[in-house]
């Protein structure tokens, strides 16, 4: 709480990295419930326009180096939950 949090995500792909590469970060609260997309990357970062993480997630990844990490600013206890990083680099997943 109070300090930004780095959520690391690294990946390897047997296909060349292109503009088709997609990164999706999803979140499920500790209490359960629906998964929600909190960050999307395709060529450029697309932070979520709504929800509890609006204006609090920053892209710090570098897909050319196999990095799809994000930072959450101003975390609070209610942010606790499961974060999943999914990378698709067609035809590789």
């Amino acid at each position: 709480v109070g300090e930004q949090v780095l959520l690391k995500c690294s990946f390897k792909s047997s296909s060349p990295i292109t503009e088709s590469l997609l990164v999706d970060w999803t979140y499920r609260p500790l209490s359960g419930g629906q998964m929600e997309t909190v960050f999307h990357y395709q060529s450029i970062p697309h932070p979520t326009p709504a929800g509890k993480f609006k204006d609090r997630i920053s892209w710090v990844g570098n897909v050319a180096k196999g990095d799809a990490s994000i930072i959450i600013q101003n975390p609070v206890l209610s942010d606790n939950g499961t974060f999943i990083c999914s990378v698709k680099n067609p035809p590789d997943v």
Side-chain angles (χ1 to χ4, degrees):
V1 173
E3 295 182 17
Q4 69 180 23
V5 175
L6 172 65
L7 297 181
K8 292 180 71 77
C9 175
S10 57
F11 65 92
K12 289 186 164 91
S13 179
S14 58
S15 302
I17 305 297
T18 68
E19 309 78 59
S20 301
L21 181 132
L22 295 172
V23 177
D24 279 309
W25 276 92
T26 53
Y27 163 78
R28 177 183 285 131
L30 204 54
S31 56
Q34 289 289 97
M35 293 289 286
E36 64 177 282
T37 298
V38 295
F39 193 88
H40 177 76
Y41 176 94
Q42 184 174 15
S43 298
I44 59 168
H46 298 278
T48 183
K52 69 183 295 173
F53 295 103
K54 180 181 186 303
D55 299 329
R56 295 199 296 135
I57 294 186
S58 305
W59 173 256
V60 291
N62 180 340
V63 293
K65 294 183 176 175
D67 184 1
S69 303
I70 59 173
I71 284 179
I72 301 176
Q73 308 286 346
N74 306 315
V76 292
L77 275 177
S78 64
D79 291 341
N80 221 339
T82 303
F83 292 83
I84 298 171
C85 170
S86 168
V87 180
K88 296 181 182 98
N89 184 37
D92 203 6
V93 175

Coordinates of all heavy atoms in Angstrom, one line a residue:
V1 N 0.8 -1.2 0.0 CA 0.0 0.0 0.0 C 0.9 1.2 0.0 O 1.8 1.3 0.8 CB -0.9 0.0 1.2 CG1 -1.7 1.3 1.3 CG2 -1.9 -1.2 1.2
G2 N 0.6 2.2 -0.9 CA 1.3 3.5 -0.9 C 2.5 3.5 -1.8 O 2.9 4.6 -2.2
E3 N 3.0 2.3 -2.2 CA 4.2 2.3 -3.1 C 3.7 1.7 -4.4 O 3.0 0.7 -4.4 CB 5.3 1.6 -2.5 CG 5.9 2.2 -1.3 CD 7.1 1.4 -0.8 OE1 7.7 0.6 -1.5 OE2 7.5 1.7 0.4
Q4 N 4.2 2.2 -5.6 CA 3.9 1.6 -6.8 C 4.3 0.1 -6.9 O 5.3 -0.3 -6.2 CB 4.4 2.4 -8.0 CG 5.9 2.3 -8.2 CD 6.3 3.1 -9.4 OE1 5.6 4.0 -9.8 NE2 7.5 2.8 -9.9
V5 N 3.6 -0.7 -7.6 CA 3.9 -2.2 -7.7 C 4.2 -2.5 -9.1 O 3.5 -2.2 -10.0 CB 2.6 -3.0 -7.2 CG1 2.9 -4.5 -7.4 CG2 2.3 -2.7 -5.8
L6 N 5.3 -3.2 -9.3 CA 5.7 -3.7 -10.6 C 5.2 -5.1 -10.7 O 5.5 -6.0 -9.9 CB 7.2 -3.7 -10.7 CG 7.8 -4.4 -12.0 CD1 7.4 -3.7 -13.2 CD2 9.3 -4.5 -11.9
L7 N 4.4 -5.4 -11.8 CA 3.9 -6.7 -12.1 C 4.7 -7.2 -13.3 O 4.5 -6.7 -14.4 CB 2.4 -6.7 -12.4 CG 1.5 -6.3 -11.2 CD1 0.0 -6.4 -11.7 CD2 1.7 -7.2 -10.0
K8 N 5.6 -8.1 -13.0 CA 6.5 -8.6 -14.1 C 5.9 -9.6 -15.0 O 5.1 -10.5 -14.4 CB 7.8 -9.1 -13.5 CG 8.7 -8.0 -12.8 CD 10.0 -8.6 -12.3 CE 11.0 -9.0 -13.3 NZ 11.7 -7.9 -13.9
C9 N 6.2 -9.6 -16.2 CA 5.7 -10.6 -17.2 C 6.7 -10.7 -18.3 O 7.1 -9.7 -18.9 CB 4.3 -10.2 -17.8 SG 3.8 -11.3 -19.0
S10 N 7.3 -11.9 -18.4 CA 8.3 -12.1 -19.5 C 7.8 -13.3 -20.4 O 7.0 -14.1 -19.9 CB 9.6 -12.4 -18.9 OG 9.6 -13.5 -18.1
F11 N 8.2 -13.2 -21.6 CA 7.7 -14.2 -22.6 C 8.8 -14.5 -23.6 O 9.7 -13.7 -23.8 CB 6.4 -13.8 -23.3 CG 6.6 -12.6 -24.1 CD1 6.9 -12.7 -25.5 CD2 6.4 -11.3 -23.6 CE1 7.0 -11.6 -26.3 CE2 6.6 -10.2 -24.4 CZ 6.9 -10.4 -25.8
K12 N 8.6 -15.7 -24.2 CA 9.5 -16.1 -25.3 C 8.6 -16.5 -26.4 O 7.5 -17.0 -26.2 CB 10.4 -17.3 -24.9 CG 11.5 -17.0 -23.9 CD 12.4 -18.2 -23.7 CE 13.6 -17.8 -23.1 NZ 13.8 -17.8 -21.7
S13 N 9.0 -16.3 -27.7 CA 8.2 -16.6 -28.8 C 9.1 -17.2 -29.9 O 10.2 -16.7 -30.1 CB 7.4 -15.4 -29.4 OG 6.7 -15.8 -30.5
S14 N 8.6 -18.2 -30.6 CA 9.3 -18.8 -31.7 C 9.1 -18.0 -33.0 O 9.8 -18.3 -34.0 CB 9.0 -20.3 -31.9 OG 7.6 -20.4 -32.1
S15 N 8.1 -17.1 -32.9 CA 7.8 -16.3 -34.1 C 8.4 -14.9 -33.9 O 8.6 -14.4 -32.8 CB 6.3 -16.2 -34.3 OG 5.7 -17.4 -34.4
P16 N 8.7 -14.2 -35.0 CA 9.2 -12.9 -34.9 C 8.2 -12.0 -34.3 O 7.0 -12.2 -34.5 CB 9.5 -12.4 -36.4 CG 9.4 -13.7 -37.2 CD 8.6 -14.7 -36.4
I17 N 8.6 -11.0 -33.5 CA 7.7 -10.0 -32.9 C 7.2 -9.1 -34.0 O 8.0 -8.4 -34.6 CB 8.4 -9.2 -31.8 CG1 9.0 -10.2 -30.7 CG2 7.5 -8.3 -31.1 CD1 8.1 -11.1 -30.0
T18 N 5.9 -8.9 -34.1 CA 5.3 -8.0 -35.1 C 4.2 -7.2 -34.4 O 3.9 -7.3 -33.2 CB 4.6 -8.8 -36.3 OG1 3.5 -9.5 -35.7 CG2 5.6 -9.8 -36.9
E19 N 3.6 -6.3 -35.2 CA 2.5 -5.5 -34.7 C 1.3 -6.3 -34.3 O 0.4 -5.8 -33.6 CB 2.0 -4.5 -35.7 CG 2.9 -3.6 -36.4 CD 3.7 -4.3 -37.5 OE1 3.0 -4.8 -38.5 OE2 4.9 -4.3 -37.5
S20 N 1.3 -7.6 -34.7 CA 0.2 -8.5 -34.4 C 0.2 -8.9 -32.9 O -0.7 -9.5 -32.4 CB 0.2 -9.7 -35.3 OG 0.0 -9.3 -36.6
L21 N 1.4 -8.7 -32.2 CA 1.5 -9.2 -30.9 C 0.5 -8.5 -30.0 O 0.3 -7.3 -30.0 CB 3.0 -8.9 -30.4 CG 3.2 -9.4 -28.9 CD1 4.5 -10.1 -28.9 CD2 3.2 -8.2 -28.0
L22 N -0.1 -9.3 -29.1 CA -1.2 -8.8 -28.2 C -0.7 -9.2 -26.8 O -0.3 -10.3 -26.5 CB -2.5 -9.5 -28.5 CG -3.2 -9.2 -29.7 CD1 -4.4 -10.1 -29.9 CD2 -3.7 -7.7 -29.8
V23 N -0.9 -8.2 -25.9 CA -0.7 -8.5 -24.5 C -2.0 -8.1 -23.8 O -2.5 -7.0 -24.0 CB 0.4 -7.7 -23.9 CG1 0.5 -7.9 -22.3 CG2 1.8 -8.0 -24.5
D24 N -2.6 -9.0 -23.0 CA -3.7 -8.7 -22.1 C -3.4 -9.0 -20.7 O -2.9 -10.1 -20.4 CB -5.0 -9.5 -22.6 CG -5.6 -8.9 -23.8 OD1 -5.9 -7.7 -23.7 OD2 -5.9 -9.6 -24.8
W25 N -3.7 -8.0 -19.8 CA -3.6 -8.2 -18.4 C -5.0 -8.3 -17.8 O -5.8 -7.4 -18.1 CB -2.9 -7.1 -17.7 CG -1.4 -7.2 -17.7 CD1 -0.5 -6.7 -18.7 CD2 -0.5 -7.8 -16.8 NE1 0.8 -7.0 -18.4 CE2 0.8 -7.7 -17.2 CE3 -0.8 -8.5 -15.6 CZ2 1.9 -8.2 -16.5 CZ3 0.3 -9.0 -14.9 CH2 1.6 -8.9 -15.3
T26 N -5.3 -9.4 -17.1 CA -6.6 -9.5 -16.5 C -6.5 -9.6 -15.0 O -5.4 -9.9 -14.5 CB -7.4 -10.7 -17.0 OG1 -6.6 -11.9 -16.9 CG2 -7.8 -10.5 -18.5
Y27 N -7.6 -9.3 -14.3 CA -7.6 -9.3 -12.8 C -8.8 -9.9 -12.3 O -9.9 -9.7 -12.8 CB -7.5 -7.8 -12.4 CG -7.9 -7.5 -11.0 CD1 -7.0 -7.8 -9.9 CD2 -9.1 -7.0 -10.7 CE1 -7.4 -7.5 -8.6 CE2 -9.5 -6.7 -9.4 CZ -8.6 -7.0 -8.3 OH -8.9 -6.7 -7.0
R28 N -8.7 -10.7 -11.2 CA -9.8 -11.2 -10.5 C -9.6 -10.9 -9.0 O -8.6 -11.2 -8.5 CB -10.0 -12.7 -10.6 CG -11.1 -13.2 -9.8 CD -11.3 -14.8 -9.8 NE -11.9 -15.2 -11.1 CZ -11.4 -16.1 -11.9 NH1 -10.3 -16.8 -11.5 NH2 -12.0 -16.5 -13.0
P29 N -10.6 -10.2 -8.4 CA -10.5 -9.8 -7.0 C -10.2 -11.1 -6.1 O -10.7 -12.2 -6.5 CB -11.8 -9.2 -6.6 CG -12.4 -8.8 -7.9 CD -11.9 -9.8 -8.9
L30 N -9.6 -10.9 -5.0 CA -9.3 -11.9 -4.0 C -10.7 -12.6 -3.6 O -10.7 -13.8 -3.4 CB -8.6 -11.4 -2.8 CG -7.8 -12.3 -1.9 CD1 -6.8 -13.0 -2.8 CD2 -7.1 -11.5 -0.8
S31 N -11.7 -11.8 -3.5 CA -13.0 -12.3 -3.1 C -13.7 -13.1 -4.2 O -14.8 -13.6 -4.0 CB -13.9 -11.1 -2.7 OG -14.0 -10.2 -3.8
G32 N -13.1 -13.2 -5.4 CA -13.7 -13.9 -6.5 C -14.5 -13.0 -7.4 O -14.4 -11.8 -7.3
G33 N -15.3 -13.6 -8.2 CA -16.0 -12.8 -9.2 C -15.5 -12.8 -10.6 O -14.6 -13.6 -10.9
Q34 N -15.9 -11.8 -11.4 CA -15.6 -11.8 -12.8 C -14.1 -11.4 -13.0 O -13.6 -10.5 -12.3 CB -16.5 -10.8 -13.5 CG -17.9 -11.2 -13.7 CD -18.0 -12.3 -14.7 OE1 -18.1 -13.5 -14.3 NE2 -18.1 -12.0 -15.9
M35 N -13.5 -12.0 -14.0 CA -12.2 -11.5 -14.5 C -12.5 -10.2 -15.2 O -13.5 -10.1 -15.9 CB -11.6 -12.5 -15.4 CG -11.2 -13.8 -14.8 SD -9.8 -13.7 -13.7 CE -8.4 -13.5 -14.9
E36 N -11.6 -9.2 -15.1 CA -11.7 -8.0 -15.9 C -10.4 -7.7 -16.5 O -9.4 -7.9 -15.9 CB -12.3 -6.9 -15.1 CG -11.4 -6.4 -14.0 CD -11.9 -5.2 -13.2 OE1 -11.8 -4.1 -13.7 OE2 -12.4 -5.4 -12.1
T37 N -10.5 -7.2 -17.8 CA -9.2 -6.8 -18.5 C -8.8 -5.4 -17.9 O -9.7 -4.5 -17.8 CB -9.5 -6.6 -20.0 OG1 -9.8 -7.9 -20.5 CG2 -8.2 -6.2 -20.7
V38 N -7.6 -5.3 -17.4 CA -7.1 -4.0 -16.8 C -6.1 -3.3 -17.7 O -5.8 -2.2 -17.5 CB -6.6 -4.3 -15.4 CG1 -7.7 -4.7 -14.5 CG2 -5.4 -5.2 -15.4
F39 N -5.6 -4.1 -18.7 CA -4.6 -3.5 -19.6 C -4.5 -4.3 -20.9 O -4.6 -5.5 -20.9 CB -3.2 -3.4 -18.9 CG -2.2 -2.5 -19.6 CD1 -2.2 -1.2 -19.3 CD2 -1.4 -3.0 -20.6 CE1 -1.3 -0.3 -20.0 CE2 -0.6 -2.1 -21.3 CZ -0.5 -0.8 -21.0
H40 N -4.3 -3.6 -22.0 CA -4.2 -4.2 -23.3 C -3.1 -3.5 -24.1 O -3.0 -2.3 -24.0 CB -5.6 -4.0 -24.0 CG -5.6 -4.6 -25.4 ND1 -5.6 -5.9 -25.7 CD2 -5.5 -4.0 -26.6 CE1 -5.6 -6.1 -27.0 NE2 -5.5 -4.9 -27.6
Y41 N -2.3 -4.3 -24.8 CA -1.2 -3.7 -25.6 C -1.3 -4.4 -27.0 O -1.3 -5.6 -27.1 CB 0.1 -4.0 -24.9 CG 1.3 -3.5 -25.8 CD1 1.9 -2.3 -25.5 CD2 1.9 -4.3 -26.8 CE1 3.0 -1.9 -26.3 CE2 2.9 -3.9 -27.5 CZ 3.5 -2.7 -27.3 OH 4.5 -2.2 -28.0
Q42 N -1.3 -3.5 -28.0 CA -1.1 -3.9 -29.4 C -0.5 -2.8 -30.1 O -1.1 -1.8 -30.4 CB -2.5 -4.3 -30.0 CG -2.2 -4.9 -31.4 CD -3.5 -5.4 -32.1 OE1 -4.6 -5.2 -31.6 NE2 -3.3 -6.2 -33.2
S43 N 0.8 -2.9 -30.4 CA 1.6 -1.9 -31.0 C 1.9 -0.7 -30.0 O 2.9 -0.2 -29.9 CB 1.1 -1.3 -32.3 OG 1.1 -2.4 -33.2
I44 N 0.8 -0.3 -29.3 CA 0.9 0.8 -28.3 C 0.1 0.4 -27.1 O -0.8 -0.5 -27.2 CB 0.4 2.2 -28.9 CG1 -1.1 2.1 -29.3 CG2 1.2 2.7 -30.0 CD1 -1.7 3.4 -29.5
P45 N 0.4 1.0 -25.9 CA -0.3 0.6 -24.7 C -1.8 1.2 -24.8 O -2.0 2.3 -25.2 CB 0.5 1.3 -23.6 CG 1.8 1.7 -24.2 CD 1.6 1.8 -25.7
H46 N -2.7 0.4 -24.3 CA -4.1 0.8 -24.2 C -4.6 0.6 -22.7 O -5.1 -0.5 -22.4 CB -5.0 0.0 -25.1 CG -4.7 0.2 -26.5 ND1 -5.1 1.2 -27.3 CD2 -3.9 -0.6 -27.4 CE1 -4.6 1.1 -28.5 NE2 -3.9 0.0 -28.6
P47 N -4.3 1.5 -21.8 CA -4.8 1.3 -20.4 C -6.3 1.3 -20.4 O -7.0 1.8 -21.3 CB -4.3 2.6 -19.7 CG -3.3 3.2 -20.6 CD -3.6 2.8 -22.0
T48 N -6.9 0.6 -19.4 CA -8.3 0.5 -19.3 C -9.0 1.9 -19.1 O -8.5 2.7 -18.4 CB -8.7 -0.4 -18.1 OG1 -10.1 -0.6 -18.1 CG2 -8.2 0.1 -16.7
P49 N -10.0 2.1 -19.8 CA -10.7 3.4 -19.8 C -11.7 3.6 -18.6 O -12.2 4.6 -18.3 CB -11.5 3.5 -21.1 CG -11.8 2.1 -21.4 CD -10.6 1.3 -20.9
A50 N -11.9 2.5 -17.9 CA -12.8 2.5 -16.7 C -12.4 1.5 -15.7 O -11.5 0.7 -15.9 CB -14.3 2.2 -17.3
G51 N -13.1 1.4 -14.6 CA -12.9 0.4 -13.6 C -11.9 0.9 -12.5 O -11.5 2.0 -12.5
K52 N -11.6 0.0 -11.6 CA -10.9 0.4 -10.4 C -9.4 0.8 -10.7 O -8.7 1.4 -9.9 CB -10.9 -0.7 -9.3 CG -10.2 -2.0 -9.7 CD -10.4 -3.0 -8.6 CE -9.8 -2.6 -7.3 NZ -10.0 -3.4 -6.1
F53 N -8.9 0.3 -11.9 CA -7.5 0.6 -12.2 C -7.3 1.8 -13.2 O -6.2 2.0 -13.7 CB -6.8 -0.7 -12.7 CG -6.7 -1.7 -11.7 CD1 -7.6 -2.8 -11.7 CD2 -5.8 -1.6 -10.7 CE1 -7.5 -3.8 -10.7 CE2 -5.7 -2.6 -9.7 CZ -6.5 -3.7 -9.7
K54 N -8.4 2.4 -13.5 CA -8.4 3.6 -14.5 C -7.4 4.6 -14.0 O -7.3 4.9 -12.8 CB -9.8 4.2 -14.5 CG -9.9 5.4 -15.5 CD -11.3 6.0 -15.4 CE -11.5 7.0 -16.4 NZ -10.7 8.2 -16.4
D55 N -6.5 5.0 -14.9 CA -5.4 6.0 -14.7 C -4.4 5.6 -13.7 O -3.6 6.4 -13.2 CB -6.1 7.3 -14.2 CG -7.0 7.9 -15.3 OD1 -6.8 7.7 -16.5 OD2 -7.9 8.6 -14.9
R56 N -4.3 4.3 -13.4 CA -3.3 3.8 -12.4 C -2.4 2.8 -12.9 O -1.4 2.4 -12.2 CB -4.0 3.2 -11.1 CG -4.8 4.3 -10.4 CD -5.1 3.8 -8.9 NE -5.9 2.6 -8.9 CZ -5.7 1.6 -8.1 NH1 -4.7 1.6 -7.3 NH2 -6.5 0.6 -8.1
I57 N -2.5 2.3 -14.2 CA -1.6 1.3 -14.7 C -0.8 2.0 -15.8 O -1.3 2.6 -16.7 CB -2.4 0.1 -15.3 CG1 -3.1 -0.6 -14.1 CG2 -1.5 -0.8 -16.0 CD1 -3.8 -1.9 -14.5
S58 N 0.5 1.7 -15.7 CA 1.5 2.2 -16.7 C 2.2 1.0 -17.3 O 2.6 0.0 -16.6 CB 2.5 3.1 -16.0 OG 1.9 4.1 -15.3
W59 N 2.4 1.1 -18.6 CA 3.2 0.1 -19.4 C 4.7 0.4 -19.2 O 5.2 1.5 -19.4 CB 2.8 0.2 -20.8 CG 3.6 -0.6 -21.8 CD1 4.6 -0.2 -22.6 CD2 3.5 -2.0 -22.0 NE1 5.1 -1.3 -23.3 CE2 4.4 -2.4 -23.0 CE3 2.7 -3.0 -21.5 CZ2 4.6 -3.7 -23.4 CZ3 2.8 -4.3 -21.9 CH2 3.8 -4.7 -22.9
V60 N 5.4 -0.7 -18.7 CA 6.9 -0.5 -18.6 C 7.6 -1.6 -19.4 O 8.8 -1.8 -19.3 CB 7.4 -0.5 -17.1 CG1 6.9 0.8 -16.5 CG2 6.9 -1.7 -16.4
G61 N 6.8 -2.4 -20.2 CA 7.3 -3.5 -20.9 C 8.1 -3.1 -22.2 O 8.1 -1.9 -22.6
N62 N 8.8 -4.0 -22.8 CA 9.5 -3.8 -24.0 C 9.4 -5.2 -24.8 O 10.1 -6.1 -24.5 CB 11.0 -3.5 -23.8 CG 11.7 -3.3 -25.0 OD1 11.4 -3.7 -26.1 ND2 12.9 -2.6 -24.9
V63 N 8.4 -5.3 -25.7 CA 8.1 -6.5 -26.3 C 9.3 -7.1 -27.1 O 9.4 -8.3 -27.3 CB 6.8 -6.5 -27.2 CG1 5.6 -6.3 -26.3 CG2 6.8 -5.4 -28.2
A64 N 10.1 -6.2 -27.6 CA 11.3 -6.6 -28.4 C 12.2 -7.4 -27.5 O 13.0 -8.2 -28.0 CB 12.0 -5.4 -29.0
K65 N 12.2 -7.2 -26.2 CA 13.0 -7.9 -25.2 C 12.2 -9.0 -24.5 O 12.7 -9.5 -23.4 CB 13.7 -6.9 -24.3 CG 14.6 -6.0 -24.9 CD 15.3 -5.1 -24.0 CE 16.3 -4.2 -24.7 NZ 16.9 -3.2 -23.8
G66 N 11.0 -9.3 -24.9 CA 10.2 -10.3 -24.2 C 9.7 -9.9 -22.9 O 9.4 -10.7 -22.0
D67 N 9.4 -8.6 -22.7 CA 8.9 -8.0 -21.5 C 7.6 -7.4 -21.7 O 7.4 -6.5 -22.5 CB 9.9 -7.0 -21.0 CG 9.6 -6.4 -19.6 OD1 8.6 -6.8 -19.0 OD2 10.3 -5.5 -19.1
A68 N 6.6 -7.8 -20.9 CA 5.2 -7.3 -20.9 C 4.8 -6.8 -19.6 O 3.6 -7.0 -19.2 CB 4.3 -8.3 -21.5
S69 N 5.7 -6.2 -18.8 CA 5.4 -5.8 -17.4 C 4.6 -4.5 -17.4 O 4.7 -3.6 -18.3 CB 6.7 -5.6 -16.7 OG 7.5 -6.8 -16.7
I70 N 3.9 -4.3 -16.3 CA 3.1 -3.1 -16.0 C 3.4 -2.7 -14.6 O 3.9 -3.4 -13.7 CB 1.6 -3.3 -16.2 CG1 1.1 -4.4 -15.3 CG2 1.3 -3.6 -17.6 CD1 -0.5 -4.6 -15.3
I71 N 3.1 -1.4 -14.3 CA 3.2 -0.9 -12.9 C 1.8 -0.4 -12.5 O 1.0 0.2 -13.3 CB 4.2 0.3 -12.9 CG1 5.6 -0.2 -12.9 CG2 3.9 1.2 -11.6 CD1 6.7 0.9 -12.9
I72 N 1.4 -0.7 -11.2 CA 0.2 -0.1 -10.7 C 0.6 1.0 -9.7 O 1.4 0.8 -8.8 CB -0.6 -1.2 -9.9 CG1 -1.0 -2.3 -10.9 CG2 -1.9 -0.6 -9.3 CD1 -1.7 -3.5 -10.2
Q73 N 0.0 2.2 -9.9 CA 0.2 3.3 -9.0 C -0.8 3.3 -7.9 O -1.9 2.9 -8.1 CB 0.1 4.6 -9.8 CG 0.9 4.7 -11.1 CD 2.4 5.0 -10.9 OE1 2.8 5.3 -9.7 NE2 3.2 4.8 -11.9
N74 N -0.4 3.9 -6.8 CA -1.3 4.0 -5.6 C -2.1 2.8 -5.3 O -3.3 2.9 -5.2 CB -2.2 5.2 -5.9 CG -1.5 6.5 -6.2 OD1 -0.5 6.8 -5.6 ND2 -1.9 7.2 -7.2
P75 N -1.4 1.6 -5.1 CA -2.2 0.4 -4.7 C -2.9 0.5 -3.4 O -2.4 1.2 -2.5 CB -1.1 -0.7 -4.7 CG 0.2 0.1 -4.4 CD 0.0 1.4 -5.0
V76 N -4.0 -0.1 -3.3 CA -4.7 -0.2 -2.0 C -5.0 -1.7 -1.7 O -4.9 -2.5 -2.6 CB -6.1 0.6 -2.1 CG1 -5.8 2.1 -2.2 CG2 -6.9 0.2 -3.2
L77 N -5.4 -2.0 -0.5 CA -5.6 -3.4 -0.1 C -6.6 -4.0 -1.0 O -6.5 -5.2 -1.3 CB -6.0 -3.5 1.4 CG -4.8 -3.5 2.3 CD1 -5.3 -3.5 3.8 CD2 -3.9 -4.7 2.1
S78 N -7.6 -3.3 -1.4 CA -8.7 -3.9 -2.2 C -8.3 -4.3 -3.6 O -9.0 -4.9 -4.3 CB -9.9 -3.0 -2.2 OG -9.6 -1.8 -2.9
D79 N -7.0 -3.9 -4.0 CA -6.5 -4.3 -5.3 C -6.0 -5.7 -5.2 O -5.7 -6.3 -6.3 CB -5.3 -3.4 -5.7 CG -5.7 -2.0 -6.0 OD1 -6.9 -1.7 -6.3 OD2 -4.8 -1.1 -6.0
N80 N -5.9 -6.3 -4.0 CA -5.4 -7.7 -3.9 C -6.2 -8.6 -4.7 O -7.4 -8.5 -4.8 CB -5.6 -8.1 -2.4 CG -4.4 -8.8 -1.9 OD1 -3.6 -9.4 -2.7 ND2 -4.2 -8.8 -0.6
G81 N -5.6 -9.5 -5.4 CA -6.2 -10.5 -6.2 C -5.2 -11.2 -7.2 O -4.0 -11.2 -6.9
T82 N -5.8 -11.8 -8.2 CA -5.0 -12.5 -9.2 C -4.8 -11.7 -10.4 O -5.8 -11.3 -11.0 CB -5.6 -13.9 -9.5 OG1 -5.8 -14.6 -8.3 CG2 -4.7 -14.7 -10.4
F83 N -3.6 -11.5 -10.9 CA -3.3 -10.8 -12.1 C -2.7 -11.8 -13.1 O -1.8 -12.5 -12.7 CB -2.3 -9.6 -11.9 CG -2.9 -8.5 -11.1 CD1 -2.9 -8.6 -9.7 CD2 -3.5 -7.4 -11.7 CE1 -3.5 -7.5 -9.0 CE2 -4.0 -6.4 -11.0 CZ -4.0 -6.4 -9.6
I84 N -3.3 -11.8 -14.3 CA -2.8 -12.8 -15.3 C -2.3 -12.0 -16.5 O -3.1 -11.2 -17.1 CB -3.9 -13.8 -15.7 CG1 -4.3 -14.6 -14.5 CG2 -3.4 -14.7 -16.8 CD1 -5.5 -15.5 -14.7
C85 N -1.1 -12.3 -17.0 CA -0.6 -11.7 -18.2 C -0.7 -12.7 -19.3 O -0.2 -13.9 -19.2 CB 0.9 -11.4 -17.9 SG 1.8 -10.9 -19.4
S86 N -1.3 -12.4 -20.4 CA -1.5 -13.3 -21.6 C -0.8 -12.6 -22.8 O -1.1 -11.5 -23.1 CB -3.0 -13.5 -21.8 OG -3.2 -14.1 -23.0
V87 N 0.1 -13.3 -23.4 CA 0.8 -12.8 -24.6 C 0.5 -13.7 -25.8 O 0.6 -14.9 -25.7 CB 2.3 -12.7 -24.4 CG1 3.0 -12.2 -25.6 CG2 2.6 -11.9 -23.2
K88 N 0.0 -13.1 -26.9 CA -0.2 -13.8 -28.1 C 0.6 -13.2 -29.2 O 0.5 -11.9 -29.4 CB -1.7 -13.8 -28.5 CG -2.6 -14.5 -27.5 CD -4.0 -14.5 -27.9 CE -4.9 -15.1 -26.9 NZ -5.5 -14.2 -26.0
N89 N 1.4 -13.9 -29.9 CA 2.2 -13.4 -31.0 C 2.0 -14.4 -32.2 O 2.7 -15.3 -32.4 CB 3.7 -13.4 -30.6 CG 4.6 -12.8 -31.7 OD1 4.2 -11.9 -32.4 ND2 5.8 -13.4 -31.9
P90 N 0.9 -14.1 -32.9 CA 0.5 -15.1 -34.0 C 1.7 -15.4 -34.9 O 2.4 -14.5 -35.3 CB -0.6 -14.3 -34.7 CG -1.1 -13.3 -33.8 CD 0.1 -12.9 -32.9
P91 N 1.8 -16.7 -35.2 CA 0.9 -17.8 -34.9 C 1.2 -18.4 -33.5 O 0.5 -19.4 -33.1 CB 1.1 -18.9 -36.0 CG 2.5 -18.6 -36.3 CD 2.8 -17.2 -36.2
D92 N 2.1 -17.9 -32.8 CA 2.6 -18.4 -31.5 C 1.7 -17.9 -30.4 O 1.3 -16.7 -30.4 CB 4.0 -18.0 -31.3 CG 4.8 -18.9 -30.3 OD1 4.2 -19.9 -29.9 OD2 5.9 -18.5 -29.9
V93 N 1.3 -18.7 -29.4 CA 0.6 -18.2 -28.2 C 1.3 -18.6 -27.0 O 1.7 -19.7 -26.8 CB -0.9 -18.9 -28.2 CG1 -1.6 -18.5 -26.9 CG2 -1.6 -18.5 -29.4

